[in-house]
Amino acid sequence: MTNKFKAAPYMERANDILSKMTLSEKVGQLVLFGSMSQLNMDDMRQGKIGSLLNVPDVKTANAMQKIAVEETRLGIPLLIGHDVVHGDRTLFPVPLAGSASFDLEKIERAEAVAAKEAYHEGINWIYSPMIDIARDPRWGRIAEGAGEDKFYGSKVASARVRGFQTINPDTGKPYACACFKHYCGYGLSEAGRDYEACDIGERTLYGEYLPVYKAALDAGSMSCMSSFNTLNGIPVTGSKKYLTELLRDNWGFEGLVVSDWESVMELIYHRVTSSDAESAKLALSAGCDIDMHSGVYSEHLEALAKEDTELMAAVDRAVLRVLCVKIAMGLFEDPYRDEDNEKYFLTKEHREASRSLAESCMVLLKNEDGTLPIKRDGKKWLLTGPLADARFENMGIWGGRGNPETIVTIKDALEKESGISLEYLKGCEVEGNDRSGMKNAARLAAGCDGIIYVCGEPCQWAGEGGGRTDLSLGALQSEYLKLLSSLRKPLVTVVLTARPLAIENVHSSSRAVLLGWQGGVELGNAVASLLMGDKSPSGRLPVTFPRSTGQIPLYYANLSGGRPRWKYPRRYRDCDSSPLYPFGYGLTYGSVEYSKVTLDKERVTRGETVTASVSVKNTSDVKVSEVVQAYFRDVVSSVATPEKLLCGFEKIEIEPGEEKNVSFTFEMSDFAFLNEKLEYTVEPGEFMLFIGADSTTENAASFELV
Ligand code: GLC
């Protein structure tokens, strides 16, 4: 069952409008202009611009809509787009962080809040969700997605599309048009260098990297953004194979495709065209409907189409898609927004939604001897570290219209809410050579019973263009860590980052480690509530954390390889080849026990289902949230298949002493893989179903597909 966007209900009206349009007006609908300072108002009045980006506020949005609706010949409203990547004014945890909640409802809720706030900014088109599968945290944009796994990434993609396209009860139309991106394969940017070539075997591409885009499409996303990159040598923005044959002919996408920023013109830099006119023709013919800001459609399409009936037909097809989306969004009836809009932002319920997601996505990575939660027992703690009281550095990778002053820092929250006494010392910056701040640490710590060190990566280091060749904490923060751990006090380290870091030194030096991510406006309150035990950590990793940058790419769904690990364990001379923290990993303040996996049948025919069950017992005296994860292995297959693949998860709350039964029911198609001919197939033979706390579980039962 899919909610795939269907253009048919809008096509008659769209065709009626199209029939009245001049070629210049048609091309105008395919032009997105992204710079208000350079916007030509005559072009606007002549209907030469159909979409805008980077419109600063609702007043300007209304003014631009007014020109489009009331001063152009046909009154076609504008799509007004914006990057609302993790919230609008109410900033949420960055998407990779939110994904760690394994709570699809909270993820959807976050995007619904974001879409509602964006609506009141005059934005009706959101360039999200970014869903590129990524297995290389050197790539700064891994922070924008849902991690390394196609099954979970697809679930998150669907939830985020639903959230953005939440229906506004006042209009009966979506608050925003979602735009899944970056189609496709952008997460494969070579060596984590943004914008580089993306090369991968077709089986892994179609089997592991492309399904998330299909999921977003099936969830009803009305638009899609073509990516900057080449994919196996083909620039996607000019590729009929990806933009038409796969996306439309095969998957049935009926929404619109917008290029990434100037990526139509950039086809010339890929050296697949030798002129802007050629780029315009290649991209439009490939299926890229709107040119984001490069100007080559505006410059060349009219003259080209006049000489080329096929291109003219392509123009008409593209215009119809754009018009259908604008009609579906209700923009003709509801183009303007309330300019008295401050009341819609950062409301109590919006902040609560951000805090709830933040508390659910933070991951307890280590907790020796029950160091956490911190007791309200009158003891004194030294709070220190460059990110403990940082606002701007914790704005997330696309803070957009957020305001640093709205961020609750960890220092704010611990001072206000925690009920413990604190000393505070910044200690050092995130990088540099100034050690002067560290010298007071020993003296202050001497009067304290424990240390809370808040370190990590400022948000500016991740995101677009945010590649790093070294994912360690860096020299200065590591030196300070060493100093703090030498003070012989219980050391709790909170790591704030938008992406995986290679933090083996943090793990070995700290009694407890909490991953706070880039956690949005409620970062401090969420960290404080978890450190103090008012809430119990329940996040799990949607992406692998390496010990060393040199291990990358490192992910759980790897092939077995020909030399078994039990016989040939060493893969590196200088590093343990296992992850520091594996996919799906996360601790709680309690403890649980999993029963053996049981199956409802051991011999299964193709048309049947199989149900795998476990009971999960809370063996502690605190309530825990457990993300029960199911993985499968096709034991013998005609091509090598991953040792494990996620096929189910359920986040449950278990009271102390309580035992809960969790079951997953699968059809055989859930275990399909791409055979040598790249056809999805399920072969008879033994399958193993694993159910456990993370991707390293060996708790499994087998069945035979006959
Ligand atoms: C950027 C990004 C894309 C964003 C677009 C518009 O370069 O690649 O994700 O939506 O331009 O800002």
Side-chain angles (χ1 to χ4, degrees), residues 67-84:
I67 293 173
V69 171
E70 300 177 25
E71 297 182 35
T72 65
R73 200 173 65 84
L74 294 171
I76 300 171
L78 297 165
L79 280 171
I80 297 180
H82 201 79
D83 292 282
V84 183

Side-chain angles (χ1 to χ4, degrees), residues 3 10 94 120 190 197 349 363 368 577 608:
N3 297 313
Y10 317 104
V94 296
H120 289 294
E190 198 159 55
E349 60 166 10
V363 186
E368 216 168 67
S577 65
E608 289 182 308

Side-chain angles (χ1 to χ4, degrees), residues 456-475:
E457 178 186 78
C459 61
Q460 299 81 1
W461 290 10
E464 186 170 353
R468 286 179 67 187
T469 60
D470 172 6
L471 292 175
S472 72
L473 210 48

Side-chain angles (χ1 to χ4, degrees), residues 53 83 127 141 144 181-182 186 195 225 228 260-261 292 398 464:
L53 161 56
D83 292 282
Y127 301 137
R141 302 198 78 168
E144 292 180 51
K181 70 184 186 182
H182 302 80
Y186 181 26
Y195 315 130
M225 183 182 292
F228 292 126
D260 202 337
W261 185 269
M292 183 187 285
W398 217 307
E464 186 170 353

Side-chain angles (χ1 to χ4, degrees), residues 138-277:
R138 291 173 297 182
W139 188 52
R141 302 198 78 168
I142 194 172
E144 292 180 51
E148 68 187 60
D149 179 71
K150 63 152 177 203
F151 176 85
Y152 183 55
S154 298
K155 299 290 185 191
V156 171
S158 306
R160 296 187 69 199
V161 166
R162 289 194 302 271
F164 286 126
Q165 296 188 171
T166 296
I167 297 301
N168 176 351
D170 301 335
T171 64
K173 300 293 183 185
Y175 277 112
C177 168
C179 183
F180 65 89
K181 70 184 186 182
H182 302 80
Y183 178 80
C184 51
Y186 181 26
L188 288 156
S189 290
E190 198 159 55
R193 286 191 304 275
D194 211 353
Y195 315 130
E196 285 292 347
C198 300
D199 249 65
I200 190 94
E202 297 283 89
R203 175 168 297 101
T204 307
L205 173 64
Y206 283 87
E208 305 296 318
Y209 282 80
L210 296 186
V212 284
Y213 303 111
K214 174 86 168 43
L217 186 167
D218 286 344
S221 182
M222 290 187 268
S223 73
C224 158
M225 183 182 292
S226 69
S227 54
F228 292 126
N229 56 287
T230 55
L231 185 51
N232 294 342
I234 302 171
V236 174
T237 295
S239 165
K240 201 178 195 88
K241 171 181 178 177
Y242 294 117
L243 293 185
T244 295
E245 290 159 16
L246 179 62
L247 185 67
R248 295 188 187 281
D249 300 347
N250 188 330
W251 289 354
F253 183 57
E254 296 185 6
L256 69 85
V257 173
V258 60
S259 76
D260 202 337
W261 185 269
E262 298 192 329
S263 59
V264 172
M265 175 274 293
E266 290 172 355
L267 290 168
I268 202 165
Y269 296 134
H270 284 295
R271 294 186 293 108
V272 293
T273 59
S274 52
S275 73
D276 285 347

